[in-house]
PDB file of all heavy atoms in Angstrom:
ATOM      1  N   MET A   1      18.201  -3.381 -16.194  1.00 43.00           N
ATOM      2  CA  MET A   1      17.379  -2.351 -15.590  1.00 43.00           C
ATOM      3  C   MET A   1      17.526  -2.377 -14.066  1.00 43.00           C
ATOM      4  O   MET A   1      17.764  -1.384 -13.423  1.00 43.00           O
ATOM      5  CB  MET A   1      15.928  -2.596 -15.977  1.00 43.00           C
ATOM      6  CG  MET A   1      14.926  -1.741 -15.254  1.00 43.00           C
ATOM      7  SD  MET A   1      13.295  -2.141 -15.854  1.00 43.00           S
ATOM      8  CE  MET A   1      12.381  -2.195 -14.342  1.00 43.00           C
ATOM      9  N   ALA A  40     -14.604 -17.394   0.896  1.00 89.00           N
ATOM     10  CA  ALA A  40     -13.938 -17.588   2.179  1.00 89.00           C
ATOM     11  C   ALA A  40     -14.846 -17.215   3.340  1.00 89.00           C
ATOM     12  O   ALA A  40     -14.391 -16.961   4.443  1.00 89.00           O
ATOM     13  CB  ALA A  40     -12.657 -16.749   2.225  1.00 89.00           C
ATOM     14  N   ASN A  59      -8.904 -16.014   8.438  1.00 95.00           N
ATOM     15  CA  ASN A  59      -7.894 -15.285   9.221  1.00 95.00           C
ATOM     16  C   ASN A  59      -6.489 -15.753   8.886  1.00 95.00           C
ATOM     17  O   ASN A  59      -5.551 -14.972   8.880  1.00 95.00           O
ATOM     18  CB  ASN A  59      -8.138 -15.467  10.717  1.00 95.00           C
ATOM     19  CG  ASN A  59      -9.283 -14.604  11.199  1.00 95.00           C
ATOM     20  OD1 ASN A  59      -9.698 -13.691  10.507  1.00 95.00           O
ATOM     21  ND2 ASN A  59      -9.792 -14.910  12.377  1.00 95.00           N
ATOM     22  N   LYS A  79      16.144  -0.861   3.685  1.00 88.00           N
ATOM     23  CA  LYS A  79      16.795  -0.082   2.620  1.00 88.00           C
ATOM     24  C   LYS A  79      17.034   1.357   3.079  1.00 88.00           C
ATOM     25  O   LYS A  79      18.015   1.987   2.691  1.00 88.00           O
ATOM     26  CB  LYS A  79      15.936  -0.077   1.352  1.00 88.00           C
ATOM     27  CG  LYS A  79      15.632  -1.450   0.794  1.00 88.00           C
ATOM     28  CD  LYS A  79      16.832  -2.119   0.202  1.00 88.00           C
ATOM     29  CE  LYS A  79      17.105  -1.651  -1.200  1.00 88.00           C
ATOM     30  NZ  LYS A  79      18.231  -2.404  -1.795  1.00 88.00           N
ATOM     31  N   LEU A  80      16.101   1.871   3.886  1.00 86.00           N
ATOM     32  CA  LEU A  80      16.267   3.225   4.409  1.00 86.00           C
ATOM     33  C   LEU A  80      17.443   3.295   5.376  1.00 86.00           C
ATOM     34  O   LEU A  80      18.158   4.291   5.426  1.00 86.00           O
ATOM     35  CB  LEU A  80      14.995   3.649   5.148  1.00 86.00           C
ATOM     36  CG  LEU A  80      13.980   4.487   4.405  1.00 86.00           C
ATOM     37  CD1 LEU A  80      12.753   4.703   5.270  1.00 86.00           C
ATOM     38  CD2 LEU A  80      14.558   5.833   4.014  1.00 86.00           C
ATOM     39  N   THR A  82      20.147   1.289   5.568  1.00 88.00           N
ATOM     40  CA  THR A  82      21.476   0.891   5.094  1.00 88.00           C
ATOM     41  C   THR A  82      21.979   1.893   4.049  1.00 88.00           C
ATOM     42  O   THR A  82      21.189   2.526   3.347  1.00 88.00           O
ATOM     43  CB  THR A  82      21.437  -0.521   4.462  1.00 88.00           C
ATOM     44  OG1 THR A  82      20.398  -0.554   3.484  1.00 88.00           O
ATOM     45  CG2 THR A  82      21.172  -1.572   5.523  1.00 88.00           C
ATOM     46  N   ASP A  88      25.136   8.086  -0.043  1.00 52.00           N
ATOM     47  CA  ASP A  88      23.987   8.849   0.431  1.00 52.00           C
ATOM     48  C   ASP A  88      23.916  10.249  -0.160  1.00 52.00           C
ATOM     49  O   ASP A  88      22.900  10.905  -0.119  1.00 52.00           O
ATOM     50  CB  ASP A  88      24.030   8.961   1.960  1.00 52.00           C
ATOM     51  CG  ASP A  88      23.433   7.724   2.601  1.00 52.00           C
ATOM     52  OD1 ASP A  88      22.872   6.908   1.851  1.00 52.00           O
ATOM     53  OD2 ASP A  88      23.548   7.571   3.821  1.00 52.00           O
ATOM     54  N   GLU A  90      24.089  12.951  -3.205  1.00 47.00           N
ATOM     55  CA  GLU A  90      23.863  13.017  -4.650  1.00 47.00           C
ATOM     56  C   GLU A  90      25.126  13.479  -5.366  1.00 47.00           C
ATOM     57  O   GLU A  90      25.860  14.336  -4.891  1.00 47.00           O
ATOM     58  CB  GLU A  90      22.732  14.003  -4.927  1.00 47.00           C
ATOM     59  CG  GLU A  90      22.188  13.922  -6.319  1.00 47.00           C
ATOM     60  CD  GLU A  90      21.355  12.683  -6.507  1.00 47.00           C
ATOM     61  OE1 GLU A  90      21.228  11.879  -5.585  1.00 47.00           O
ATOM     62  OE2 GLU A  90      20.849  12.518  -7.595  1.00 47.00           O
ATOM     63  N   VAL A  94      26.701  11.624 -14.529  1.00 45.00           N
ATOM     64  CA  VAL A  94      27.827  11.342 -15.402  1.00 45.00           C
ATOM     65  C   VAL A  94      27.383  10.350 -16.464  1.00 45.00           C
ATOM     66  O   VAL A  94      26.807   9.324 -16.152  1.00 45.00           O
ATOM     67  CB  VAL A  94      28.998  10.718 -14.601  1.00 45.00           C
ATOM     68  CG1 VAL A  94      30.108  10.298 -15.553  1.00 45.00           C
ATOM     69  CG2 VAL A  94      29.528  11.705 -13.578  1.00 45.00           C
ATOM     70  N   GLU A  95      27.572  10.699 -17.697  1.00 47.00           N
ATOM     71  CA  GLU A  95      27.285   9.774 -18.778  1.00 47.00           C
ATOM     72  C   GLU A  95      28.591   9.119 -19.178  1.00 47.00           C
ATOM     73  O   GLU A  95      29.541   9.799 -19.579  1.00 47.00           O
ATOM     74  CB  GLU A  95      26.694  10.518 -19.979  1.00 47.00           C
ATOM     75  CG  GLU A  95      25.279  11.040 -19.753  1.00 47.00           C
ATOM     76  CD  GLU A  95      24.245   9.944 -19.689  1.00 47.00           C
ATOM     77  OE1 GLU A  95      24.410   8.936 -20.392  1.00 47.00           O
ATOM     78  OE2 GLU A  95      23.283  10.095 -18.918  1.00 47.00           O
ATOM     79  N   SER A  96      28.669   7.858 -19.028  1.00 45.00           N
ATOM     80  CA  SER A  96      29.919   7.186 -19.379  1.00 45.00           C
ATOM     81  C   SER A  96      29.639   6.086 -20.385  1.00 45.00           C
ATOM     82  O   SER A  96      28.547   5.529 -20.425  1.00 45.00           O
ATOM     83  CB  SER A  96      30.573   6.604 -18.130  1.00 45.00           C
ATOM     84  OG  SER A  96      29.723   5.633 -17.569  1.00 45.00           O
TER      85      SER A  96
ATOM     86  N   SER B   2      24.778   3.737 -21.208  1.00 43.00           N
ATOM     87  CA  SER B   2      25.113   4.854 -20.349  1.00 43.00           C
ATOM     88  C   SER B   2      24.803   4.498 -18.904  1.00 43.00           C
ATOM     89  O   SER B   2      23.930   3.696 -18.629  1.00 43.00           O
ATOM     90  CB  SER B   2      24.342   6.098 -20.769  1.00 43.00           C
ATOM     91  OG  SER B   2      22.973   5.871 -20.564  1.00 43.00           O
ATOM     92  N   THR B   3      25.548   5.133 -18.036  1.00 46.00           N
ATOM     93  CA  THR B   3      25.341   4.870 -16.622  1.00 46.00           C
ATOM     94  C   THR B   3      24.941   6.154 -15.936  1.00 46.00           C
ATOM     95  O   THR B   3      25.610   7.165 -16.068  1.00 46.00           O
ATOM     96  CB  THR B   3      26.634   4.340 -15.988  1.00 46.00           C
ATOM     97  OG1 THR B   3      27.041   3.200 -16.718  1.00 46.00           O
ATOM     98  CG2 THR B   3      26.397   3.965 -14.537  1.00 46.00           C
ATOM     99  N   ALA B   6      23.582   9.685 -11.070  1.00 53.00           N
ATOM    100  CA  ALA B   6      22.906  10.768 -10.363  1.00 53.00           C
ATOM    101  C   ALA B   6      21.870  10.229  -9.391  1.00 53.00           C
ATOM    102  O   ALA B   6      21.687  10.760  -8.312  1.00 53.00           O
ATOM    103  CB  ALA B   6      22.243  11.709 -11.354  1.00 53.00           C
ATOM    104  N   GLY B  11      18.000   2.390 -10.878  1.00 58.00           N
ATOM    105  CA  GLY B  11      17.859   1.016 -11.323  1.00 58.00           C
ATOM    106  C   GLY B  11      16.897   0.216 -10.481  1.00 58.00           C
ATOM    107  O   GLY B  11      16.346  -0.782 -10.923  1.00 58.00           O
ATOM    108  N   GLU B  12      16.692   0.685  -9.250  1.00 61.00           N
ATOM    109  CA  GLU B  12      15.856  -0.072  -8.334  1.00 61.00           C
ATOM    110  C   GLU B  12      14.380   0.177  -8.540  1.00 61.00           C
ATOM    111  O   GLU B  12      13.565  -0.724  -8.441  1.00 61.00           O
ATOM    112  CB  GLU B  12      16.241   0.297  -6.899  1.00 61.00           C
ATOM    113  CG  GLU B  12      15.680  -0.628  -5.857  1.00 61.00           C
ATOM    114  CD  GLU B  12      16.320  -0.356  -4.503  1.00 61.00           C
ATOM    115  OE1 GLU B  12      17.477   0.086  -4.480  1.00 61.00           O
ATOM    116  OE2 GLU B  12      15.663  -0.578  -3.499  1.00 61.00           O
ATOM    117  N   GLY B  64     -11.414 -11.088  16.532  1.00 93.00           N
ATOM    118  CA  GLY B  64     -11.196 -12.377  15.861  1.00 93.00           C
ATOM    119  C   GLY B  64     -10.672 -12.270  14.449  1.00 93.00           C
ATOM    120  O   GLY B  64     -10.947 -13.128  13.615  1.00 93.00           O
ATOM    121  N   PHE B 124     -15.839 -11.614   2.292  1.00 94.00           N
ATOM    122  CA  PHE B 124     -15.142 -12.701   1.610  1.00 94.00           C
ATOM    123  C   PHE B 124     -16.101 -13.708   0.960  1.00 94.00           C
ATOM    124  O   PHE B 124     -15.703 -14.832   0.657  1.00 94.00           O
ATOM    125  CB  PHE B 124     -14.217 -13.442   2.585  1.00 94.00           C
ATOM    126  CG  PHE B 124     -13.172 -12.554   3.230  1.00 94.00           C
ATOM    127  CD1 PHE B 124     -12.798 -12.747   4.557  1.00 94.00           C
ATOM    128  CD2 PHE B 124     -12.567 -11.535   2.497  1.00 94.00           C
ATOM    129  CE1 PHE B 124     -11.835 -11.929   5.142  1.00 94.00           C
ATOM    130  CE2 PHE B 124     -11.601 -10.720   3.084  1.00 94.00           C
ATOM    131  CZ  PHE B 124     -11.240 -10.924   4.413  1.00 94.00           C
ATOM    132  N   GLN B 164      17.998  16.333  -3.680  1.00 94.00           N
ATOM    133  CA  GLN B 164      19.162  15.772  -4.387  1.00 94.00           C
ATOM    134  C   GLN B 164      20.283  15.452  -3.406  1.00 94.00           C
ATOM    135  O   GLN B 164      21.029  14.511  -3.601  1.00 94.00           O
ATOM    136  CB  GLN B 164      19.650  16.780  -5.425  1.00 94.00           C
ATOM    137  CG  GLN B 164      18.596  17.141  -6.464  1.00 94.00           C
ATOM    138  CD  GLN B 164      18.908  16.639  -7.839  1.00 94.00           C
ATOM    139  OE1 GLN B 164      20.064  16.600  -8.227  1.00 94.00           O
ATOM    140  NE2 GLN B 164      17.894  16.242  -8.581  1.00 94.00           N
ATOM    141  N   PRO B 167      19.098  11.727  -1.095  1.00 91.00           N
ATOM    142  CA  PRO B 167      18.373  10.857  -2.040  1.00 91.00           C
ATOM    143  C   PRO B 167      17.441   9.850  -1.382  1.00 91.00           C
ATOM    144  O   PRO B 167      16.512   9.362  -2.013  1.00 91.00           O
ATOM    145  CB  PRO B 167      19.497  10.152  -2.799  1.00 91.00           C
ATOM    146  CG  PRO B 167      20.729  10.357  -2.000  1.00 91.00           C
ATOM    147  CD  PRO B 167      20.552  11.608  -1.212  1.00 91.00           C
ATOM    148  N   LYS B 168      17.664   9.578  -0.103  1.00 91.00           N
ATOM    149  CA  LYS B 168      16.765   8.626   0.549  1.00 91.00           C
ATOM    150  C   LYS B 168      15.350   9.181   0.710  1.00 91.00           C
ATOM    151  O   LYS B 168      14.414   8.422   0.965  1.00 91.00           O
ATOM    152  CB  LYS B 168      17.323   8.237   1.913  1.00 91.00           C
ATOM    153  CG  LYS B 168      18.399   7.162   1.815  1.00 91.00           C
ATOM    154  CD  LYS B 168      18.751   6.586   3.145  1.00 91.00           C
ATOM    155  CE  LYS B 168      19.744   5.449   2.945  1.00 91.00           C
ATOM    156  NZ  LYS B 168      20.175   4.875   4.223  1.00 91.00           N
TER     157      LYS B 168
END
Side-chain angles (χ1 to χ4, degrees):
Chain A
M1 171 179 137
N59 283 345
K79 302 290 278 184
L80 263 175
T82 52
D88 276 352
E90 194 73 358
V94 174
E95 290 290 326
S96 62
Chain B
S2 65
T3 304
E12 193 169 331
F124 301 143
Q164 300 248 325
K168 279 191 175 178

